[in-house]
Amino acid sequence: MNSYTIGVDFGGGAAKATLLREDGTVVTTSQREYPTYYPENGWAEHDPDGHYDALCYGLTITMAQRRQKPLERSQRVTSRCS
């Protein structure tokens, strides 16, 4: 079985999901923008629902582009944060 890692980056106005092979080779990526709100001078806010929607979109599209079924619970999934 091949091992893959999905990395998700939440930036200032978009989330990007990248599917990588075990050796670090990029298989596919997707990106979805979300709005930044400026309720007062010097403030910047994001709606958490926008982040969640971008995450779900990124995972769904990335897996669809790879033409693989979503990972089953029995498959090993690792997460690394720095």
Side-chain angles (χ1 to χ4, degrees), residues 24-81:
T25 305
V26 174
V27 177
T28 187
T29 63
S30 67
Q31 181 173 317
R32 181 147 196 177
E33 294 182 0
Y34 43 79
T36 301
Y37 302 101
Y38 303 94
E40 293 191 31
N41 189 22
W43 291 17
E45 296 180 354
H46 292 133
D47 181 355
D49 289 339
H51 284 213
Y52 183 75
D53 291 344
L55 172 66
C56 293
Y57 174 86
L59 295 177
T60 300
I61 295 301
T62 300
M63 294 306 291
Q65 288 174 345
R66 180 63 183 137
R67 298 179 191 250
Q68 290 201 1
K69 297 178 184 175
L71 297 175
E72 299 293 329
R73 283 185 185 177
S74 61
Q75 291 178 297
R76 188 175 142 198
V77 178
T78 59
S79 173
R80 296 181 187 194
C81 299

